[in-house]
């Protein structure tokens, strides 16, 4: 083809001023995580190994492919026999293999120190890469204490839940070395009001037969499910295996939920059609039995938003560091620094608070504190998560809105942990009930708040003002304000005792003393360099 007059061989697609995609080691390059996990008793050797695993290019590719090739429901085989299976991309299985192998579900139960803290840090790390695989691992971890209500079942299931092995094949539990457990509580007519459940449980010898519909079943390819049903003696907790010695249990998968995010993980509507089940705990004690599982899953829903915020901030900080505009790097421009530093306070506050909760889970003497603190952390951390990720996306500009970056995935993920295991209103009402009915929890919380007294005048004034405003419990309509204030003070108390002065002082000045506007970056007087160093330390 003849060259057009005046044409020159110009490269119109030279790539300039485009920072390379970050592929960090999420442990080695997170000074705040290393500091807070170490302070709370985490096992650094496990977390160092996890960081190296998650930094590998093939693992990151597996996460991307697990999201791209979404789970598919296969209800029947070609001959018309029921299968009720969900097919996943190999990347999903690879991530579960790695997570369980690192001890995600097992560490808290092996008897060594720091198990819950290390587990929570693994939640934080995996949430940055592919949050969807956290669901089945979290429920498997959280089911372990609930099994204590049925020692004969515990003998069978517990060793396999904490084996560190992932075996996805559909087989009876006795034939497997490693298993997972899911949860199916929610029904259409009740939602969080599980006492309105209508699923029936009819005695069948030593077991029961369940009949009913569950609106949400998380991780439907688990080896079994903890579920609630109405037995003759009232609402009762059951363990429903997916596979029996003589074949599939009568658990029908009706459809997969078409969710906003968390797409690598399947969530389903299921139907128990006379499914065989075994009772956990007494008839009528269903809520009391399964609450042990819910209590532990709440730890993970308090921890995960910190991981999501960290991933978003790392992207924004990396972009700002490598991108120039108007003659200088974005990270050197005062307004960008103010925005990122302000966001970093929410991230590090969420991280520090959740790991402090995890330490309370590790200490039997702090069970009362764990009960109230995890609810406060779940509420506040999730309310902060969405706005932080949205601002981080905006910091990247148009590319932050593009699926080739993780920001859209993180943004879709942001609301989920606030919904799971009790949405905001449910959590706030639970906080009021706990403080009113469990004086030991109220006393433990007061002691934790007072532990930071005398170190920061603004914090002392904020705590005094909170107690003056609510000398008694607020009415239900005021529960959110009360919970937000209390959770913010608790976060400040933890940071004062565990974070560098720029972070602790900045959090107290802007969150407790209220010296800021309503939009991220509307702050003044912060030690920007000291705060930003926590996102990516110099050198």
């Amino acid at each position: 083809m003849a060259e057009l007059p005046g044409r020159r061989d110009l490269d119109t697609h030279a790539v300039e001023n485009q920072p390379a995609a970050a592929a960090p080691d999420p442990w080695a390059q997170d000074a705040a995580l290393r500091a807070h996990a170490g302070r709370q008793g985490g096992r650094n050797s496990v977390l160092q190994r996890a960081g190296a695993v998650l930094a590998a290019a093939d693992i990151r590719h597996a996460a991307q492919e697990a999201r791209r090739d979404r789970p598919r429901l296969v209800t029947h085989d070609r001959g018309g026999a029921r299968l009720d299976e969900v097919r996943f991309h190999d990347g999903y299985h690879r991530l579960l293999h790695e997570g369980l192998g690192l001890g995600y579900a097992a560490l808290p139960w092996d008897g060594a120190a720091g198990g819950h803290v290390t587990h929570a840090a693994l939640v934080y790390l995996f949430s940055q890469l592919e949050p969807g695989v956290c669901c089945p691992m979290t429920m498997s971890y959280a089911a372990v204490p609930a099994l204590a209500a049925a020692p004969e079942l515990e003998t069978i299931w517990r060793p396999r839940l904490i084996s560190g092995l992932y075996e996805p094949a559909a087989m009876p539990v006795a034939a497997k070395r490693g298993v997972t457990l899911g949860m199916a509580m929610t029904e259409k007519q009740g939602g969080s009001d599980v006492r309105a459940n209508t699923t029936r449980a009819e005695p069948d010898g030593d077991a029961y037969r369940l009949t009913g519909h569950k609106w949400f079943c998380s991780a439907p390819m688990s080896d079994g499910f903890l579920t609630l049903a109405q037995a003759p003696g009232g609402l009762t907790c059951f363990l429903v295996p997916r596979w029996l010695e003589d074949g599939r249990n009568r658990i029908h998968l009706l459809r997969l939920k078409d969710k906003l995010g968390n797409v690598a993980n399947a969530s389903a509507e299921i139907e128990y059609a006379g499914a065989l089940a075994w009772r956990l705990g007494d008839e009528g004690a269903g809520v009391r039995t399964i609450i042990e599982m819910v209590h532990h899953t709440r730890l993970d829903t308090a921890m995960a938003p910190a991981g999501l915020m960290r991933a978003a901030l790392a992207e924004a900080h990396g972009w700002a560091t490598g991108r120039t505009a108007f003659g200088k790097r974005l990270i050197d421009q005062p307004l960008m620094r103010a925005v990122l530093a302000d966001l970093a306070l929410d991230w590090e506050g969420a991280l520090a608070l959740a790991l402090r909760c995890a330490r309370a889970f590790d200490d039997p003497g702090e069970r009362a504190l764990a009960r109230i603190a995890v609810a406060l952390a779940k509420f506040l951390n999730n309310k902060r998560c969405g706005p932080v990720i949205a601002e981080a996306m905006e910091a990247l500009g148009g590319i932050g809105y593009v699926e080739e970056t993780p920001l859209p995935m993180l943004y879709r993920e942001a609301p989920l942990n606030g919904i799971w295991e009790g949405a905001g209103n449910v959590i706030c009402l639970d906080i009021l009930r706990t403080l009113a009915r469990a004086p030991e929890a109220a006393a433990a919380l007061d002691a934790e708040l007072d532990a930071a007294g005398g170190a920061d005048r603004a914090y002392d004034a904020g705590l005094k003002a909170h107690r003056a405003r609510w000398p008694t419990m607020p009415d239900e309509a005021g529960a959110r304000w009360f919970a937000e204030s209390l959770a913010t003070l608790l976060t400040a108390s933890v940071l004062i005792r565990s974070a560098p002065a720029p972070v602790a002082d900045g959090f107290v000045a802007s969150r407790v003393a209220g010296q800021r506007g309503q939009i991220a970056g509307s702050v003044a007087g912060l030690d920007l360099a000291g705060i930003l160093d926590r996102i990516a330390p110099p050198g």
Side-chain angles (χ1 to χ4, degrees):
M1 180 176 179
E3 183 176 348
L4 295 175
R7 174 176 173 177
R8 291 185 299 170
D9 291 328
L10 295 177
D11 182 359
T12 61
H13 291 284
V15 178
E16 299 173 350
N17 200 23
Q18 285 282 331
D25 179 323
W27 166 257
Q29 295 179 260
D30 191 339
L33 172 61
R34 296 197 306 277
H36 289 293
R39 179 181 178 86
Q40 304 301 351
R43 304 180 202 174
N44 285 5
S45 60
V46 174
L47 298 174
Q48 183 178 20
R49 188 165 72 252
V53 167
L54 296 178
D58 62 329
I59 293 295
R60 303 183 81 82
H61 179 70
Q64 293 168 352
E65 292 300 299
R67 289 191 292 272
R68 184 174 292 116
D69 188 356
R70 297 186 180 190
R72 301 186 305 277
L73 174 62
V74 182
T75 56
H76 296 78
D77 67 14
R78 61 178 288 175
R82 292 203 71 98
L83 288 178
D84 294 299
E85 292 184 357
V86 182
R87 307 281 169 81
F88 296 88
H89 186 273
D90 288 345
Y92 177 85
H93 295 297
R94 172 73 187 280
L95 291 166
L96 277 171
H97 169 79
E98 297 291 352
L100 292 173
L102 286 165
Y104 188 113
L107 290 169
W109 317 118
D110 64 9
H116 281 93
V117 171
T118 311
H119 160 82
L122 287 174
V123 175
Y124 174 85
L125 293 172
F126 271 86
S127 294
Q128 297 177 48
L129 182 65
E130 176 38 59
V133 301
C134 293
C135 176
M137 295 194 292
T138 284
M139 292 189 297
S140 298
Y141 142 76
V144 171
L147 292 173
E152 67 283 3
L153 294 174
E154 184 180 35
T155 299
I156 298 168
W157 287 85
R158 180 184 169 117
R160 293 168 171 85
L161 284 169
I162 64 174
S163 67
L165 299 172
Y166 175 58
E167 294 185 346
M171 297 186 295
V173 60
K176 303 184 76 169
R177 297 175 300 161
V179 299
T180 58
L181 272 175
M183 183 191 298
M185 289 200 297
T186 306
E187 297 186 5
K188 296 189 295 289
Q189 73 287 346
S192 297
D193 183 9
V194 295
R195 295 189 184 278
N197 284 4
T198 60
T199 297
R200 303 189 314 277
E202 299 174 352
D204 183 2
D206 293 335
Y208 290 74
R209 293 285 176 178
L210 303 191
T211 303
H213 178 273
K214 294 293 181 180
W215 204 24
F216 278 92
C217 174
S218 297
M221 292 306 286
S222 300
D223 294 286
F225 310 97
L226 296 194
T227 196
L228 295 176
Q230 299 288 355
L235 190 66
T236 303
C237 184
F238 295 92
L239 194 162
V240 190
R242 192 164 62 88
W243 193 272
L244 305 174
E245 293 297 331
D246 58 353
R248 302 175 189 276
N249 204 354
R250 294 180 64 82
I251 306 170
H252 297 164
L253 304 189
L254 303 183
R255 62 171 176 164
L256 300 185
K257 295 293 194 181
D258 188 7
K259 297 174 293 184
L260 170 68
N262 207 251
V263 296
N265 177 50
S267 300
E269 288 185 35
I270 67 171
E271 189 171 81
Y272 296 133
L276 192 66
W278 279 267
R279 178 165 51 86
L280 283 177
D282 296 331
E283 285 194 5
V287 173
R288 187 167 68 248
T289 302
I290 208 168
I291 201 67
E292 276 298 314
M293 185 176 187
V294 173
H295 176 58
H296 286 81
T297 53
R298 280 186 178 175
L299 174 61
D300 291 18
T301 59
M303 187 78 253
L308 300 176
M309 286 188 269
R310 166 64 193 182
L313 275 172
E315 287 287 331
H317 188 274
W319 179 265
T321 301
R323 179 85 164 173
T324 60
F326 310 111
K328 59 183 177 181
R329 295 188 311 164
L330 292 176
I331 196 63
D332 296 325
Q333 301 195 25
L335 192 52
M336 178 64 77
R337 293 173 65 80
V339 171
L340 293 179
D342 197 10
L343 300 178
L345 293 176
D346 284 329
W347 152 63
E348 186 159 351
L351 170 64
L353 178 57
L355 286 175
R356 175 63 185 97
C357 290
R359 193 185 91 192
F361 276 69
D362 273 324
D363 184 351
E366 288 194 323
R367 182 172 175 83
L369 176 63
R371 178 179 174 185
I372 183 63
V374 75
L376 290 165
K378 172 176 161 43
F379 179 67
L380 185 65
N381 290 358
N382 283 291
K383 294 304 179 189
R384 297 285 183 255
C385 185
V388 168
I389 294 173
E391 288 286 353
M393 180 185 292
E394 187 175 327
L396 270 71
I399 192 63
Y401 200 65
V402 173
E403 294 287 351
E404 289 173 334
T405 74
L407 274 302
M409 178 273 287
L410 297 168
Y411 187 72
R412 289 191 295 269
E413 198 74 26
L416 183 55
N417 291 283
I419 296 170
W420 270 351
E421 310 305 7
N425 286 355
V426 172
I427 294 297
C428 288
L429 295 177
D430 184 59
I431 289 167
L432 295 189
R433 283 192 296 269
T434 299
L435 293 175
R437 301 177 185 178
E440 68 280 8
L445 179 59
D446 279 340
E448 190 72 8
L449 294 169
D450 290 336
D456 187 303
R457 291 181 179 177
Y459 171 80
D460 293 344
L463 181 58
K464 182 178 179 180
H466 172 91
R467 288 169 170 166
R469 182 175 295 117
W470 291 288
T472 60
M473 290 296 101
D475 59 21
E476 289 190 2
R480 281 201 172 206
W481 186 12
F482 174 80
E484 179 188 3
S485 174
L486 200 53
T488 302
L489 287 164
L490 182 59
T491 304
S493 173
V494 174
L495 288 174
I496 288 169
R497 291 173 287 148
S498 64
V503 174
D505 295 348
F507 188 93
V508 172
S510 57
R511 272 71 174 165
V512 176
Q515 298 173 9
R516 61 167 293 172
Q518 297 298 308
I519 298 171
S522 302
V523 290
L526 301 183
D527 182 345
L528 301 180
I531 296 169
L532 291 174
D533 284 352
R534 300 290 275 180
I535 305 177

